[in-house]
Amino acid sequence: MRTSIGRSLAAVAILSAASPALAQEASWSGPYVGATIGGNLPHGGDARTVGTPAFLTLVPSLAPATLDTSRNSIAAGAHIGYNLESGGLVYGVEADLSYLGAKKTSSFTSTATVLGTTLSTTAAHQIDYLGTVRARLGYAPNAKALVYATGGLAYGRVKDTATVIGNAAPSSLVWNGVSSGTRTGFTLGGGAEFKVGDRVSLRGEYLYYDLGSQTTTAAGSAGVRGIAALNGIDYSQRTSAKGSIVRVGLNFAL
C-alpha cells in the first residue's frame, strides 16, 4: 500500500514541476496545497456478535446481538494535488490525510448465567486517521467556480477490541481480543470550489469511504482454558469501517 501511495504522490510532484506556463493559461491548472476541517459520520459501525458458534450455544442471551460503536468525530487534515484544465474540463490527482480520532466503547451485561455468573461484553471501535489518493474530474463554468467528482483509494488505521468478563466467581472467566492495523478500501465523492483571490479558493466537499469489515476474536484466558466445559470456546464479533466525511477547506495555488 505504501508503494502505491508513494507512486501517486510522486505523480503529483512530477505534474507540479511540468509546464509552469500552463498554470498561467488556464485558471484552474497547476499544483496546489490546502487544509480542510469538517465531520466524520460513520455508517454501520456497530459490533455484531458472530460467534464462535460454541460460545453462542452456551446459554441464550449470553452475548448482545450488536453493540453501538459508532461515533461522530472531527475530521481535520491537509491535501496536495495538481489540476489540468482543457475547454472547461478540469482533471487531476489529489492526496490527503485527515485525523479522525473516532472511538467509542459500549458494554452489555447478560441476564443469563454461565457457571453461576453473568457476563459483561465490551466492544470498542476506533479509526485514528483516514487518507485518500484520488482522481478528480470537474467542470469550470467560469474562472471563479469549479464543480467536481472524485474517487480512488482510501486507507486508515482501525482498531477493534472485544472483552468478555465474568461478574462473579469463578472470576477467572475472561476473554480478550484485539484487531489493529492499517486497512485499505475505496472512496467516492464530489465537491465545489470558488476562487476568492488569484491564488486562493474555498472548497466544500463530501467523501464516502469504505475500509471493509474485520472480525475480532476474544480468546479465553488460562482460567477459561482450565474449565473443561469452556476450553476452546471463544467469543467473536465483526465491525465495519465506513462512513462519510463532510468538510470545508482552503486551497492555495503554488
Side-chain angles (χ1 to χ4, degrees):
M1 184 199 70
R2 292 180 179 175
T3 301
S4 299
I5 295 171
R7 289 175 179 171
S8 299
L9 292 175
V12 172
I14 291 171
L15 285 171
S16 298
S19 187
L22 187 58
Q24 300 174 359
E25 296 172 2
S27 62
W28 291 100
S29 289
Y32 61 90
V33 296
T36 57
I37 189 167
N40 169 52
L41 312 173
H43 304 315
D46 291 347
R48 296 180 290 109
T49 296
V50 294
T52 60
F55 185 96
L56 297 180
T57 57
L58 284 176
V59 179
S61 304
L62 196 61
T66 63
L67 281 171
D68 180 12
T69 53
S70 296
R71 179 189 175 189
N72 297 342
S73 66
I74 192 172
H79 56 266
I80 181 173
Y82 190 91
N83 286 328
L84 291 173
E85 182 177 2
S86 176
L89 291 179
V90 178
Y91 49 95
V93 62
E94 181 174 296
D96 73 282
L97 185 65
S98 295
Y99 166 80
L100 301 184
K103 180 180 180 179
K104 185 174 181 180
T105 302
S106 294
S107 297
F108 165 89
T109 299
S110 68
T111 55
T113 62
V114 57
L115 299 182
T117 180
T118 58
L119 297 181
S120 290
T121 303
T122 300
H125 179 64
Q126 178 175 347
I127 305 179
D128 294 325
Y129 64 82
L130 180 75
T132 72
V133 180
R134 296 172 282 110
R136 298 205 314 164
L137 177 62
Y139 172 68
N142 54 59
K144 296 292 185 180
L146 168 67
V147 292
Y148 62 89
T150 185
L153 170 74
Y155 62 96
R157 180 171 177 79
V158 183
K159 180 178 181 180
D160 289 296
T161 61
T163 304
V164 181
I165 300 176
N167 296 311
S171 58
S172 56
L173 292 186
V174 178
W175 290 261
N176 283 308
V178 178
S179 298
S180 179
T182 300
R183 292 164 56 185
T184 60
F186 70 91
T187 181
L188 295 170
E193 292 183 28
F194 304 92
K195 285 189 176 292
V196 294
D198 291 340
R199 306 179 71 84
V200 181
S201 62
L202 291 174
R203 166 188 292 194
E205 186 173 66
Y206 167 83
L207 291 178
Y208 170 82
Y209 65 89
D210 188 339
L211 302 181
S213 301
Q214 70 180 11
T215 298
T216 303
T217 298
S221 64
V224 172
R225 298 297 188 221
I227 300 173
L230 299 179
N231 187 24
I233 296 179
D234 297 327
Y235 171 72
S236 184
Q237 67 180 31
R238 189 167 182 82
T239 56
S240 61
K242 56 186 176 181
S244 296
I245 301 290
V246 181
R247 57 194 182 186
V248 295
L250 282 174
N251 276 3
F252 301 92
L254 299 178

